[in-house]
Amino acid sequence: MDARLKLSKISIIACSIAALAACQTAPPAPVLRPAAFTPLGLSAAYLYSDVITGHRARAAKMKAAKVRPLTPAAAPAYMAALAQELRVQTAGIGLDVLQVGNGIVIRIPAALTFDEGSAAVKPQFDATLLEISREVRDRSQTYVDVFAHSDLSGSPQGNQALSDKRAAAVATYLAGHGVSRARIASKGLGETSPLYNPETSEAQKAANRRVEIRLLPYTG
């Protein structure tokens, strides 16, 4: 074969490979959040409150679903192991796994939650919730509380309604991916518990628009 023809074919193949490589989906960029995001709001009263709708009602649902309760002595080690599993499995996603009282709070940054004014789960949020649901469904001896927040724009009434829808959307997602519905309750907090007040930047505004999943031990 003529040397020039060989070179021409090699060039065509090389160009084709380069074109295919260019078409591959680039890995997602790491999620960034304000440096001060993690420690904010950890003293908020709602994070230390009873489970949503009350312990008696929730425990009855767990019992009816035949979930075996933890003994009080076993609960701390059980929750510590769950926290470690969550940190390992969600490493690099950009969320926070926080110890709050005797429970765990998974705080999901605004970049992965909802667009302003929307209660539709974004594709990025879908992947995050899927990973969380895989971990949470197998650790069935926990209550799952979903809290959703809005930013400070709009009316208090509108923000409350929007956050209710967001919390319900996350609860529905978890239930649809293997987490027992008997374990889950949701609550919108509207604009009542902002991390930043006032909001002086778009980053702060977005940080207020967050979701938190609280896991508490079920001890009967």
Side-chain angles (χ1 to χ4, degrees), residues 153-187:
S153 61
S155 69
Q157 296 83 359
N159 286 336
Q160 181 61 54
L162 180 60
S163 66
D164 285 338
K165 291 177 182 178
R166 288 172 172 169
V170 173
T172 298
Y173 185 100
L174 295 174
H177 288 79
V179 182
S180 171
R181 197 69 181 86
R183 299 171 56 199
I184 307 170
S186 64
K187 185 177 183 178

PDB file of all heavy atoms in Angstrom, residues 153-187:
ATOM      1  N   SER A 153     -37.280  35.230  49.503  1.00  0.00           N
ATOM      2  CA  SER A 153     -38.054  35.973  48.508  1.00  0.00           C
ATOM      3  C   SER A 153     -39.484  35.448  48.482  1.00  0.00           C
ATOM      4  O   SER A 153     -39.751  34.310  48.859  1.00  0.00           O
ATOM      5  CB  SER A 153     -37.415  35.840  47.127  1.00  0.00           C
ATOM      6  OG  SER A 153     -37.381  34.491  46.730  1.00  0.00           O
ATOM      7  N   GLY A 154     -40.407  36.265  48.055  1.00  0.00           N
ATOM      8  CA  GLY A 154     -41.805  35.851  48.024  1.00  0.00           C
ATOM      9  C   GLY A 154     -42.486  36.075  49.361  1.00  0.00           C
ATOM     10  O   GLY A 154     -41.881  36.549  50.325  1.00  0.00           O
ATOM     11  N   SER A 155     -43.752  35.695  49.440  1.00  0.00           N
ATOM     12  CA  SER A 155     -44.520  35.901  50.661  1.00  0.00           C
ATOM     13  C   SER A 155     -44.328  34.736  51.617  1.00  0.00           C
ATOM     14  O   SER A 155     -44.043  33.607  51.187  1.00  0.00           O
ATOM     15  CB  SER A 155     -46.008  36.018  50.326  1.00  0.00           C
ATOM     16  OG  SER A 155     -46.508  34.768  49.884  1.00  0.00           O
ATOM     17  N   PRO A 156     -44.474  34.948  52.927  1.00  0.00           N
ATOM     18  CA  PRO A 156     -44.374  33.837  53.883  1.00  0.00           C
ATOM     19  C   PRO A 156     -45.352  32.709  53.571  1.00  0.00           C
ATOM     20  O   PRO A 156     -44.999  31.525  53.684  1.00  0.00           O
ATOM     21  CB  PRO A 156     -44.693  34.511  55.224  1.00  0.00           C
ATOM     22  CG  PRO A 156     -44.304  35.936  55.042  1.00  0.00           C
ATOM     23  CD  PRO A 156     -44.643  36.245  53.609  1.00  0.00           C
ATOM     24  N   GLN A 157     -46.578  33.071  53.170  1.00  0.00           N
ATOM     25  CA  GLN A 157     -47.570  32.050  52.867  1.00  0.00           C
ATOM     26  C   GLN A 157     -47.161  31.221  51.644  1.00  0.00           C
ATOM     27  O   GLN A 157     -47.284  29.989  51.632  1.00  0.00           O
ATOM     28  CB  GLN A 157     -48.939  32.701  52.625  1.00  0.00           C
ATOM     29  CG  GLN A 157     -49.524  33.415  53.827  1.00  0.00           C
ATOM     30  CD  GLN A 157     -48.989  34.845  53.990  1.00  0.00           C
ATOM     31  OE1 GLN A 157     -48.145  35.304  53.196  1.00  0.00           O
ATOM     32  NE2 GLN A 157     -49.482  35.541  55.002  1.00  0.00           N
ATOM     33  N   GLY A 158     -46.694  31.913  50.620  1.00  0.00           N
ATOM     34  CA  GLY A 158     -46.258  31.210  49.418  1.00  0.00           C
ATOM     35  C   GLY A 158     -45.052  30.327  49.684  1.00  0.00           C
ATOM     36  O   GLY A 158     -44.963  29.197  49.175  1.00  0.00           O
ATOM     37  N   ASN A 159     -44.112  30.822  50.488  1.00  0.00           N
ATOM     38  CA  ASN A 159     -42.922  30.043  50.810  1.00  0.00           C
ATOM     39  C   ASN A 159     -43.262  28.818  51.649  1.00  0.00           C
ATOM     40  O   ASN A 159     -42.650  27.753  51.495  1.00  0.00           O
ATOM     41  CB  ASN A 159     -41.904  30.922  51.539  1.00  0.00           C
ATOM     42  CG  ASN A 159     -41.212  31.891  50.601  1.00  0.00           C
ATOM     43  OD1 ASN A 159     -41.133  31.643  49.399  1.00  0.00           O
ATOM     44  ND2 ASN A 159     -40.725  32.995  51.136  1.00  0.00           N
ATOM     45  N   GLN A 160     -44.236  28.962  52.549  1.00  0.00           N
ATOM     46  CA  GLN A 160     -44.649  27.813  53.347  1.00  0.00           C
ATOM     47  C   GLN A 160     -45.255  26.730  52.460  1.00  0.00           C
ATOM     48  O   GLN A 160     -44.906  25.542  52.579  1.00  0.00           O
ATOM     49  CB  GLN A 160     -45.669  28.249  54.401  1.00  0.00           C
ATOM     50  CG  GLN A 160     -46.150  27.111  55.300  1.00  0.00           C
ATOM     51  CD  GLN A 160     -45.021  26.490  56.087  1.00  0.00           C
ATOM     52  OE1 GLN A 160     -44.283  27.193  56.785  1.00  0.00           O
ATOM     53  NE2 GLN A 160     -44.855  25.173  55.978  1.00  0.00           N
ATOM     54  N   ALA A 161     -46.136  27.124  51.562  1.00  0.00           N
ATOM     55  CA  ALA A 161     -46.764  26.159  50.665  1.00  0.00           C
ATOM     56  C   ALA A 161     -45.723  25.480  49.775  1.00  0.00           C
ATOM     57  O   ALA A 161     -45.787  24.257  49.540  1.00  0.00           O
ATOM     58  CB  ALA A 161     -47.821  26.859  49.809  1.00  0.00           C
ATOM     59  N   LEU A 162     -44.762  26.255  49.289  1.00  0.00           N
ATOM     60  CA  LEU A 162     -43.724  25.702  48.420  1.00  0.00           C
ATOM     61  C   LEU A 162     -42.857  24.705  49.179  1.00  0.00           C
ATOM     62  O   LEU A 162     -42.548  23.618  48.675  1.00  0.00           O
ATOM     63  CB  LEU A 162     -42.868  26.831  47.854  1.00  0.00           C
ATOM     64  CG  LEU A 162     -41.726  26.429  46.919  1.00  0.00           C
ATOM     65  CD1 LEU A 162     -42.256  25.684  45.702  1.00  0.00           C
ATOM     66  CD2 LEU A 162     -40.937  27.672  46.490  1.00  0.00           C
ATOM     67  N   SER A 163     -42.478  25.048  50.404  1.00  0.00           N
ATOM     68  CA  SER A 163     -41.629  24.140  51.171  1.00  0.00           C
ATOM     69  C   SER A 163     -42.384  22.864  51.550  1.00  0.00           C
ATOM     70  O   SER A 163     -41.792  21.785  51.610  1.00  0.00           O
ATOM     71  CB  SER A 163     -41.066  24.833  52.417  1.00  0.00           C
ATOM     72  OG  SER A 163     -42.086  25.149  53.345  1.00  0.00           O
ATOM     73  N   ASP A 164     -43.685  22.964  51.799  1.00  0.00           N
ATOM     74  CA  ASP A 164     -44.485  21.762  52.051  1.00  0.00           C
ATOM     75  C   ASP A 164     -44.418  20.821  50.848  1.00  0.00           C
ATOM     76  O   ASP A 164     -44.256  19.600  50.998  1.00  0.00           O
ATOM     77  CB  ASP A 164     -45.948  22.138  52.315  1.00  0.00           C
ATOM     78  CG  ASP A 164     -46.180  22.736  53.693  1.00  0.00           C
ATOM     79  OD1 ASP A 164     -45.346  22.494  54.597  1.00  0.00           O
ATOM     80  OD2 ASP A 164     -47.188  23.449  53.865  1.00  0.00           O
ATOM     81  N   LYS A 165     -44.553  21.386  49.648  1.00  0.00           N
ATOM     82  CA  LYS A 165     -44.503  20.574  48.426  1.00  0.00           C
ATOM     83  C   LYS A 165     -43.119  19.954  48.235  1.00  0.00           C
ATOM     84  O   LYS A 165     -42.991  18.793  47.817  1.00  0.00           O
ATOM     85  CB  LYS A 165     -44.856  21.430  47.213  1.00  0.00           C
ATOM     86  CG  LYS A 165     -46.317  21.868  47.166  1.00  0.00           C
ATOM     87  CD  LYS A 165     -46.573  22.773  45.968  1.00  0.00           C
ATOM     88  CE  LYS A 165     -48.011  23.253  45.921  1.00  0.00           C
ATOM     89  NZ  LYS A 165     -48.252  24.181  44.787  1.00  0.00           N
ATOM     90  N   ARG A 166     -42.072  20.717  48.548  1.00  0.00           N
ATOM     91  CA  ARG A 166     -40.714  20.193  48.397  1.00  0.00           C
ATOM     92  C   ARG A 166     -40.451  19.043  49.359  1.00  0.00           C
ATOM     93  O   ARG A 166     -39.888  18.008  48.979  1.00  0.00           O
ATOM     94  CB  ARG A 166     -39.699  21.319  48.624  1.00  0.00           C
ATOM     95  CG  ARG A 166     -39.650  22.323  47.487  1.00  0.00           C
ATOM     96  CD  ARG A 166     -38.779  23.509  47.845  1.00  0.00           C
ATOM     97  NE  ARG A 166     -38.579  24.376  46.680  1.00  0.00           N
ATOM     98  CZ  ARG A 166     -38.038  25.577  46.742  1.00  0.00           C
ATOM     99  NH1 ARG A 166     -37.661  26.084  47.916  1.00  0.00           N
ATOM    100  NH2 ARG A 166     -37.881  26.295  45.643  1.00  0.00           N
ATOM    101  N   ALA A 167     -40.867  19.210  50.613  1.00  0.00           N
ATOM    102  CA  ALA A 167     -40.683  18.148  51.597  1.00  0.00           C
ATOM    103  C   ALA A 167     -41.443  16.898  51.182  1.00  0.00           C
ATOM    104  O   ALA A 167     -40.933  15.769  51.267  1.00  0.00           O
ATOM    105  CB  ALA A 167     -41.134  18.625  52.973  1.00  0.00           C
ATOM    106  N   ALA A 168     -42.673  17.075  50.702  1.00  0.00           N
ATOM    107  CA  ALA A 168     -43.483  15.944  50.259  1.00  0.00           C
ATOM    108  C   ALA A 168     -42.862  15.254  49.049  1.00  0.00           C
ATOM    109  O   ALA A 168     -42.910  14.018  48.924  1.00  0.00           O
ATOM    110  CB  ALA A 168     -44.895  16.407  49.932  1.00  0.00           C
ATOM    111  N   ALA A 169     -42.261  16.031  48.149  1.00  0.00           N
ATOM    112  CA  ALA A 169     -41.631  15.453  46.963  1.00  0.00           C
ATOM    113  C   ALA A 169     -40.456  14.562  47.349  1.00  0.00           C
ATOM    114  O   ALA A 169     -40.266  13.477  46.772  1.00  0.00           O
ATOM    115  CB  ALA A 169     -41.165  16.567  46.019  1.00  0.00           C
ATOM    116  N   VAL A 170     -39.663  15.000  48.323  1.00  0.00           N
ATOM    117  CA  VAL A 170     -38.526  14.196  48.765  1.00  0.00           C
ATOM    118  C   VAL A 170     -39.020  12.943  49.480  1.00  0.00           C
ATOM    119  O   VAL A 170     -38.498  11.841  49.261  1.00  0.00           O
ATOM    120  CB  VAL A 170     -37.611  15.023  49.676  1.00  0.00           C
ATOM    121  CG1 VAL A 170     -36.510  14.147  50.280  1.00  0.00           C
ATOM    122  CG2 VAL A 170     -36.982  16.171  48.889  1.00  0.00           C
ATOM    123  N   ALA A 171     -40.041  13.080  50.333  1.00  0.00           N
ATOM    124  CA  ALA A 171     -40.591  11.920  51.033  1.00  0.00           C
ATOM    125  C   ALA A 171     -41.130  10.898  50.037  1.00  0.00           C
ATOM    126  O   ALA A 171     -40.913   9.683  50.193  1.00  0.00           O
ATOM    127  CB  ALA A 171     -41.696  12.370  51.984  1.00  0.00           C
ATOM    128  N   THR A 172     -41.815  11.367  49.019  1.00  0.00           N
ATOM    129  CA  THR A 172     -42.361  10.478  48.000  1.00  0.00           C
ATOM    130  C   THR A 172     -41.248   9.757  47.247  1.00  0.00           C
ATOM    131  O   THR A 172     -41.350   8.567  46.936  1.00  0.00           O
ATOM    132  CB  THR A 172     -43.238  11.275  47.010  1.00  0.00           C
ATOM    133  OG1 THR A 172     -44.339  11.839  47.729  1.00  0.00           O
ATOM    134  CG2 THR A 172     -43.755  10.394  45.891  1.00  0.00           C
ATOM    135  N   TYR A 173     -40.169  10.475  46.957  1.00  0.00           N
ATOM    136  CA  TYR A 173     -39.029   9.862  46.271  1.00  0.00           C
ATOM    137  C   TYR A 173     -38.442   8.734  47.117  1.00  0.00           C
ATOM    138  O   TYR A 173     -38.208   7.626  46.622  1.00  0.00           O
ATOM    139  CB  TYR A 173     -37.952  10.901  45.969  1.00  0.00           C
ATOM    140  CG  TYR A 173     -36.811  10.345  45.160  1.00  0.00           C
ATOM    141  CD1 TYR A 173     -36.720  10.557  43.792  1.00  0.00           C
ATOM    142  CD2 TYR A 173     -35.820   9.567  45.761  1.00  0.00           C
ATOM    143  CE1 TYR A 173     -35.685  10.009  43.054  1.00  0.00           C
ATOM    144  CE2 TYR A 173     -34.786   9.016  45.030  1.00  0.00           C
ATOM    145  CZ  TYR A 173     -34.722   9.248  43.671  1.00  0.00           C
ATOM    146  OH  TYR A 173     -33.704   8.697  42.943  1.00  0.00           O
ATOM    147  N   LEU A 174     -38.184   9.014  48.390  1.00  0.00           N
ATOM    148  CA  LEU A 174     -37.597   7.994  49.262  1.00  0.00           C
ATOM    149  C   LEU A 174     -38.500   6.768  49.343  1.00  0.00           C
ATOM    150  O   LEU A 174     -38.026   5.629  49.270  1.00  0.00           O
ATOM    151  CB  LEU A 174     -37.359   8.575  50.659  1.00  0.00           C
ATOM    152  CG  LEU A 174     -36.326   9.706  50.765  1.00  0.00           C
ATOM    153  CD1 LEU A 174     -36.307  10.262  52.181  1.00  0.00           C
ATOM    154  CD2 LEU A 174     -34.937   9.221  50.369  1.00  0.00           C
ATOM    155  N   ALA A 175     -39.804   7.003  49.509  1.00  0.00           N
ATOM    156  CA  ALA A 175     -40.752   5.890  49.590  1.00  0.00           C
ATOM    157  C   ALA A 175     -40.779   5.090  48.291  1.00  0.00           C
ATOM    158  O   ALA A 175     -40.947   3.868  48.305  1.00  0.00           O
ATOM    159  CB  ALA A 175     -42.144   6.408  49.920  1.00  0.00           C
ATOM    160  N   GLY A 176     -40.606   5.779  47.172  1.00  0.00           N
ATOM    161  CA  GLY A 176     -40.602   5.107  45.876  1.00  0.00           C
ATOM    162  C   GLY A 176     -39.332   4.348  45.580  1.00  0.00           C
ATOM    163  O   GLY A 176     -39.263   3.617  44.585  1.00  0.00           O
ATOM    164  N   HIS A 177     -38.312   4.529  46.430  1.00  0.00           N
ATOM    165  CA  HIS A 177     -37.031   3.850  46.212  1.00  0.00           C
ATOM    166  C   HIS A 177     -36.660   2.983  47.410  1.00  0.00           C
ATOM    167  O   HIS A 177     -35.493   2.872  47.781  1.00  0.00           O
ATOM    168  CB  HIS A 177     -35.937   4.874  45.903  1.00  0.00           C
ATOM    169  CG  HIS A 177     -36.067   5.472  44.543  1.00  0.00           C
ATOM    170  ND1 HIS A 177     -36.971   6.483  44.267  1.00  0.00           N
ATOM    171  CD2 HIS A 177     -35.447   5.199  43.353  1.00  0.00           C
ATOM    172  CE1 HIS A 177     -36.884   6.807  42.979  1.00  0.00           C
ATOM    173  NE2 HIS A 177     -35.982   6.043  42.410  1.00  0.00           N
ATOM    174  N   GLY A 178     -37.679   2.380  48.006  1.00  0.00           N
ATOM    175  CA  GLY A 178     -37.427   1.302  48.948  1.00  0.00           C
ATOM    176  C   GLY A 178     -37.481   1.639  50.419  1.00  0.00           C
ATOM    177  O   GLY A 178     -37.398   0.743  51.255  1.00  0.00           O
ATOM    178  N   VAL A 179     -37.593   2.923  50.774  1.00  0.00           N
ATOM    179  CA  VAL A 179     -37.686   3.279  52.192  1.00  0.00           C
ATOM    180  C   VAL A 179     -39.143   3.133  52.616  1.00  0.00           C
ATOM    181  O   VAL A 179     -40.041   3.721  51.998  1.00  0.00           O
ATOM    182  CB  VAL A 179     -37.190   4.718  52.444  1.00  0.00           C
ATOM    183  CG1 VAL A 179     -37.263   5.044  53.934  1.00  0.00           C
ATOM    184  CG2 VAL A 179     -35.772   4.901  51.929  1.00  0.00           C
ATOM    185  N   SER A 180     -39.401   2.360  53.663  1.00  0.00           N
ATOM    186  CA  SER A 180     -40.768   2.106  54.092  1.00  0.00           C
ATOM    187  C   SER A 180     -41.503   3.404  54.388  1.00  0.00           C
ATOM    188  O   SER A 180     -41.009   4.256  55.128  1.00  0.00           O
ATOM    189  CB  SER A 180     -40.761   1.224  55.345  1.00  0.00           C
ATOM    190  OG  SER A 180     -42.056   1.134  55.902  1.00  0.00           O
ATOM    191  N   ARG A 181     -42.688   3.538  53.825  1.00  0.00           N
ATOM    192  CA  ARG A 181     -43.476   4.760  54.037  1.00  0.00           C
ATOM    193  C   ARG A 181     -43.829   4.947  55.499  1.00  0.00           C
ATOM    194  O   ARG A 181     -44.008   6.086  55.952  1.00  0.00           O
ATOM    195  CB  ARG A 181     -44.771   4.689  53.196  1.00  0.00           C
ATOM    196  CG  ARG A 181     -45.458   6.028  53.014  1.00  0.00           C
ATOM    197  CD  ARG A 181     -44.611   6.928  52.126  1.00  0.00           C
ATOM    198  NE  ARG A 181     -45.178   8.248  51.922  1.00  0.00           N
ATOM    199  CZ  ARG A 181     -45.015   9.290  52.733  1.00  0.00           C
ATOM    200  NH1 ARG A 181     -44.331   9.163  53.854  1.00  0.00           N
ATOM    201  NH2 ARG A 181     -45.512  10.466  52.433  1.00  0.00           N
ATOM    202  N   ALA A 182     -43.896   3.855  56.259  1.00  0.00           N
ATOM    203  CA  ALA A 182     -44.212   3.948  57.688  1.00  0.00           C
ATOM    204  C   ALA A 182     -43.137   4.692  58.458  1.00  0.00           C
ATOM    205  O   ALA A 182     -43.394   5.208  59.548  1.00  0.00           O
ATOM    206  CB  ALA A 182     -44.392   2.550  58.270  1.00  0.00           C
ATOM    207  N   ARG A 183     -41.939   4.767  57.905  1.00  0.00           N
ATOM    208  CA  ARG A 183     -40.828   5.426  58.594  1.00  0.00           C
ATOM    209  C   ARG A 183     -40.759   6.914  58.310  1.00  0.00           C
ATOM    210  O   ARG A 183     -40.041   7.639  59.007  1.00  0.00           O
ATOM    211  CB  ARG A 183     -39.503   4.788  58.148  1.00  0.00           C
ATOM    212  CG  ARG A 183     -39.369   3.313  58.458  1.00  0.00           C
ATOM    213  CD  ARG A 183     -38.127   2.731  57.789  1.00  0.00           C
ATOM    214  NE  ARG A 183     -36.921   3.443  58.180  1.00  0.00           N
ATOM    215  CZ  ARG A 183     -35.779   3.402  57.509  1.00  0.00           C
ATOM    216  NH1 ARG A 183     -35.690   2.696  56.376  1.00  0.00           N
ATOM    217  NH2 ARG A 183     -34.722   4.066  57.936  1.00  0.00           N
ATOM    218  N   ILE A 184     -41.459   7.393  57.290  1.00  0.00           N
ATOM    219  CA  ILE A 184     -41.214   8.735  56.753  1.00  0.00           C
ATOM    220  C   ILE A 184     -42.318   9.712  57.135  1.00  0.00           C
ATOM    221  O   ILE A 184     -43.505   9.380  57.106  1.00  0.00           O
ATOM    222  CB  ILE A 184     -41.121   8.677  55.209  1.00  0.00           C
ATOM    223  CG1 ILE A 184     -40.101   7.640  54.766  1.00  0.00           C
ATOM    224  CG2 ILE A 184     -40.752  10.048  54.648  1.00  0.00           C
ATOM    225  CD1 ILE A 184     -40.137   7.363  53.265  1.00  0.00           C
ATOM    226  N   ALA A 185     -41.920  10.929  57.464  1.00  0.00           N
ATOM    227  CA  ALA A 185     -42.844  12.060  57.591  1.00  0.00           C
ATOM    228  C   ALA A 185     -42.130  13.290  57.046  1.00  0.00           C
ATOM    229  O   ALA A 185     -40.900  13.350  57.009  1.00  0.00           O
ATOM    230  CB  ALA A 185     -43.268  12.281  59.041  1.00  0.00           C
ATOM    231  N   SER A 186     -42.906  14.263  56.593  1.00  0.00           N
ATOM    232  CA  SER A 186     -42.295  15.448  55.986  1.00  0.00           C
ATOM    233  C   SER A 186     -42.935  16.716  56.524  1.00  0.00           C
ATOM    234  O   SER A 186     -44.096  16.713  56.955  1.00  0.00           O
ATOM    235  CB  SER A 186     -42.418  15.396  54.461  1.00  0.00           C
ATOM    236  OG  SER A 186     -43.775  15.444  54.064  1.00  0.00           O
ATOM    237  N   LYS A 187     -42.171  17.794  56.448  1.00  0.00           N
ATOM    238  CA  LYS A 187     -42.661  19.076  56.947  1.00  0.00           C
ATOM    239  C   LYS A 187     -41.924  20.212  56.237  1.00  0.00           C
ATOM    240  O   LYS A 187     -40.697  20.213  56.161  1.00  0.00           O
ATOM    241  CB  LYS A 187     -42.438  19.179  58.454  1.00  0.00           C
ATOM    242  CG  LYS A 187     -43.014  20.435  59.092  1.00  0.00           C
ATOM    243  CD  LYS A 187     -42.806  20.411  60.604  1.00  0.00           C
ATOM    244  CE  LYS A 187     -43.439  21.619  61.275  1.00  0.00           C
ATOM    245  NZ  LYS A 187     -43.271  21.569  62.757  1.00  0.00           N
TER     246      LYS A 187
END
